[in-house]
Amino acid sequence: MYGYQNNLYTYHQQLSKDRLLGGQTELDLLETIKNTFGMDIKKTTGMFAKYDFYDDFTRIELKTMRNPILKYHKTIIGQNKIDYLLKRSRSKNCYILYKYPEGLYKIKIDKDNSYKLEQNMTGGRKDRGINEIKRGGYCYINIKYLEKI
């Protein structure tokens, strides 16, 4: 039992660090994102927003990655984010941005690009001390489809 509680403590510590890093990265990249996608782009408020940046025509989700881009040949995002962006892509331009140590990368999420998405995949992460599995699964994206900004 102690081992599980210790892992849970480690998980919450790392999750807090990850959220702080993600929030800081959002602030650090706001001007770059505005310069790339339009000066009307705003940052969402609230920890549980469905995306991180928006304007009248655009929705953007930003993922901050600690690992080098070439460490894995695929990157990951929760299927819930993909489902939400694909629904919005009929009327908005939707993107996922990945901030790797080597730079900022993007992929447009829409029906025409859906072949680039390995959806509803089983998997997860273990780097926070416990196995993380999301209801609804994950989506994997081959890094060859990411375009450097």
Side-chain angles (χ1 to χ4, degrees), residues 123-137:
R125 58 188 292 175
K126 297 185 272 185
D127 61 317
R128 293 181 180 145
I130 64 174
N131 291 336
E132 290 183 62
I133 297 173
K134 277 189 182 175
R135 220 177 275 164

Side-chain angles (χ1 to χ4, degrees), residues 49-50 63 77-87 120 134-139:
K50 295 190 186 279
K63 304 309 285 179
I77 189 166
Q79 184 65 46
N80 59 325
K81 297 286 186 176
I82 295 296
D83 292 343
Y84 181 84
L85 292 174
L86 278 172
K87 285 179 188 171
N120 299 306
K134 277 189 182 175
R135 220 177 275 164
Y138 287 93
C139 177

